[in-house]
Each structure stands twice: as structure tokens, then as C-alpha cells.
Amino acid sequence: MSVATVILGSSLFIVFLITLLGAFSGRLQSKDLEGWLVHSRRMGSFLVWFLLGSEIYTAFTFEGLAGYAYKNGAAAFYNVALNDVAYAVGFFVLPTIWLIGRRFRYVTQSDFIAGRYQSKTLGIFVAFTSAIIMIAYIDLNITGLSAVIQVIGNGAISDLWSDVIGFLILALAVFLGGIRGNALQATVKDMLMFISIGVLFVVIPIHYFGSFGIMYSQFVQKIPSYFVLPGVSKHLGVAWLITTVILNGIGQWMWPQWFGVAFTAKSPRTLKLQAVFMPFYQLVKVGVITIGFAAVLILGTSKQINGNNVVMMLATKTFPAWFVVLFTVAAMLSAIIPAGPIIMTSSGLLARNVLQALRPSMGEETVYWVTRLLVFPLTIIALILTLVVPSLIVSILLVAYDFISQFFPAVVIGGLFWRRATKEGVFAGLITGWLVTAYLVLTNHDPIGGWNAGFVALLANLAVFVVVSLLTKPVPRTHLNEFYMGAFPQESRHAMGNVAQQAGD
Amino acid sequence: MKRVIAMWLVTVVLIVFLYVGMTALCMNHVKPTVLGMPLLYFWFVLVPLLSPLILGALYLYDLRHNPQLEYDQQEKG
């Protein structure tokens, strides 16, 4: 039996055990749809921190980011900045949405949109389109999983089989466990990921260069173009960094699964505390990017090297087999665990916000079971998409963000602050944003004039959203006052007082 | 509530500025090195350490002035 087989077999066995652990704990917890999707809004700071971290820090962080630094140099820093901007944005946005969500018992982003704009049709539209975009995001994690098995197995296991095995585990874990199961698995995954990246970050400079100081010195002397923008990337300059960080920073919370995680917290304070402590995770990203830079000097820059594989290549080249097992488990979990809530949220959106909205006679119990059963077809669709349209991890993430960020005007600007926003404005803005994004991406105009294509599309979306909203009938003020009562209590009470006074006059 | 929202917006702008504004203005260089690190690299090591401090200050301000918390307690009560 070869070493590669032992490593792969041991890793798969450990991943299977961790999955069973999550599934078992999930069976004890999830009894209804609200419990399954948002854990009845009872998660404390510790679990939410791990859950958010686990979903945000995925195969992209573990493998793709090092690969991006390896290929594009300093442009990879966009990913350090975007999350911190997102935490700052989320500091106020998530707790405010949580307050509204608890008042009206919302469990999905689509519930929130339908409630704010008083439009069931808009809710269905948002649920369906976001579910589609989320399936595309799962590709990223399948690709990450394939990269692990590709390097460890030396090509002995085909991409097809590695994808199928990973997703069978994933689909079963999500079906049996719900989000609680994933939170426990997330804890294990994050610990393994911290240990693995920490060890790699410390050992690589000492083993290959002698010290951090010598490594940094070689960075400056041998590959200076990797430490400026656009530098080695040639086309990803400062304007691209600014527009990408802003677009992705405001777009992060538009992913329905992260929006859903906000509902799992037990209080708004829990979410605010997350915003304070989540930036510490960013140091992990800096470590991964450093490994990517070091890989340029250690592995060279041959075109035959797939950027996604450099972390695993360094791990297998540097460490003994037992550590490679630990590393492989962490890498696999980083691909599998984050995909769980994405599939679960997708299925919840389709069952609850599309099927039940179209057929209101469906009972809650039926919706609960349809949600669980949809996990399998959605997983299979994602698997097929991955096999039919294979892509680089980074390309998938950036394009997915271009599309999902188009929800920002509807969810945050109109959803929380601008009461004149209308459902017609949201429809028109979203369609404009997606069409512009699709056109620019498909015609290879990303970046355009140095700007991120999704950001340009967002500006078009925003302009159409505002103009069409101003030209169409607003949502009644009485509804909005009631809707915002939990989030903006003073303003809503004041506005309700004015309405009552006008009625009295 | 307006003060809380204003402080939050200032914080968002500050963090965006630290990352991309400072990079555009003066950090997009390899030299001078800081602790041996290329300048841009050093900046992206430093700012993630500053962010929790900035957000922590916002948290303390928010804790004192945000009426949402009071309303939330009333709802629970």
C-alpha cells in the first residue's frame, strides 16, 4: 500500500468521523424548520464565531488564496481587506436585521425582502435567484476538494470520484445534522486549519530560508514585483483594489447563508461582538498569502504548476506523512464544511420561499421535509456544474461576488435606510446589475478601465434602483413604521405619533 | 440613533481608508522595509491588528448610546 493511499484513506476516515459527530449532534437538536435553519436563534458568541469563521474561511482561504498570491502577487491582499470592511459594515447591519427578523420570525433573506417591500413575488424572485448564485459558489469548495485529492493521490483518484465522495459526505451531513451539526464540525475544522496553517507559516521560512528575516529579505531582492500593485499581475492595480474591496466588503453579507447565520445568534450583542473579534481571523489569511509568496521562491513559477495546489505541494514536500494527514483533513473540511450551510440555505429558500409561497397550502412540516430532501438534488446540480464548467477557485469567487453584491441596494440601502425604495426599483436594479455583470465578465472586460466589473454593475444597479423607486408607488408608511419598530424604535414611534396625529386632525 | 449610525459610518469609512486609501496614497511600495518586511506587506499585517481596536471602540460607544439594546431588553422582558 503506497504512502499516498494511506494518507488519503486515513484522511477520509477522519473526515467521515467528524461528519458523523456533526450529524449525531444535529439529530439531537433539529426538530423543526426554525430550529434546523437558525437554531431557534440561540447560538452564543463562541459558536457563532466559529460558524461565521468556518463559512467565510473556506477552501479559498486554505488553498485558493495562496495560489492567488503565487500567481498575482499583492493583489491577493484584497482578500484581507474585504472581510474587515465587511465586519465593519455588519456591525450595524446584522444586528438590525436580527431585530426585525425576530419580530416577524424571519429565517431567510427572502422573508426579509418580501416583508420590507410588501411583495411576495419579490421574495420568490430573490429566493430563486440567490439560490442559483449559491450553487455556483459551491463549485469553489468542490474545486478545493479536488485539488487536495489531486495532490495527495498523485492522480490515482479521478476528479469525478473525489467530487462524488466529498459531496456524498456533505449531503448526508447536512441532511441529518442541520446547522448545529455544522457548527460543531466547524469548530473542529477551524482548530485543524489554525494548527496546519500556523505550522506551515512557521516551518516554511525556517526550513527553506533559515529565518523569517532572510525570507523577507529574499522577497525584496528576488521578487519585488510581487509586493506592489499591479506588479506581477500586470492589470490588477490600485483602482481594482479599491473597487474590489468595496464591492466584496458590502457584498459579503448579501450571501443568504451568512445573512442566515445572523439569525442564529441569540442577541444583537452577540453579532456586534463577532464584528469586533472576527478581524483576528484575517491574520490567518496573511499567513496563507505569505506561504504563497514563499512558494514562488521554493517551487519556481512554472506554468505547469496549478496555483490552487501550491499549499498542498509544499505540505507534502516538507512534512512527514502523519502531518500531511492532519493537513489533508483540515483542507478537506475547509472545502466540505462551508458548503453545508450554503446547500441548506439554498434548499430552505427554494422550499420555504419559492414552493410554499407559490402553494400556501403546504404545511410547516411538509416544508421542513422538502427543505431537507432538496439537499440532495441541489448537491447533485452543484456537482454537475463543477464537472461541466471547471474553473479556478479565485475566478469562481470573484465572479460569484460580482453577482451576489447586486443585492446590496435592496437589502441594506432600501431594506434598512431608504424608506422610499420600492419593489419595482429593486427588480429593475437587480436585473440591470446582473445584465451588466454578465456582459462585462463574459466579454472579458473584467476589470474594465482598471475597475472591478461588478462594482461598475453595482453603480448601474444603484442608479436604476433609485430612479425607478422614485417613479413608482412607495410602500405605505404605516407598514414601514411597524416593520422598523424593532430596529429603529425612536424613529418609528415618532413617525407613528405623527400618523396618529394626522388621522386625528 | 443618528449618532450611533454616524459613528458606525465613520468607522466603516476609516477601515476602508486604512486598507485602500492608505495603499493608494503611500503604501504601494516595496521599500522602505519595516522589520525586514516589504512596505505593502507590512501594512496588510498591521491593519488587521488595528481593526479589532477600532471596532472595539465602536462597540463601547454603541453599548452606551444605541437605543436598539434597550428596546431589545423590553421585548424580552
Side-chain angles (χ1 to χ4, degrees), chain A residues 106 109-127 353 357 421-427 473 475-476 479 483:
Chain A
Y106 295 153
Q109 188 183 51
S110 170
D111 294 339
F112 175 79
I113 292 282
R116 158 62 181 87
Y117 294 97
Q118 287 287 281
S119 171
K120 195 194 279 186
T121 311
L122 182 59
I124 294 170
F125 178 74
V126 167
N353 298 98
T422 67
K423 61 184 176 189
E424 292 85 355
V426 171
F427 269 121
K473 189 181 168 189
V475 175
H479 165 71
F483 183 80

Side-chain angles (χ1 to χ4, degrees), chain A residues 385-397:
Chain A
L385 275 175
T386 308
L387 296 171
V388 173
V389 195
S391 306
L392 286 172
I393 289 176
V394 176
S395 309
I396 298 165
L397 188 75

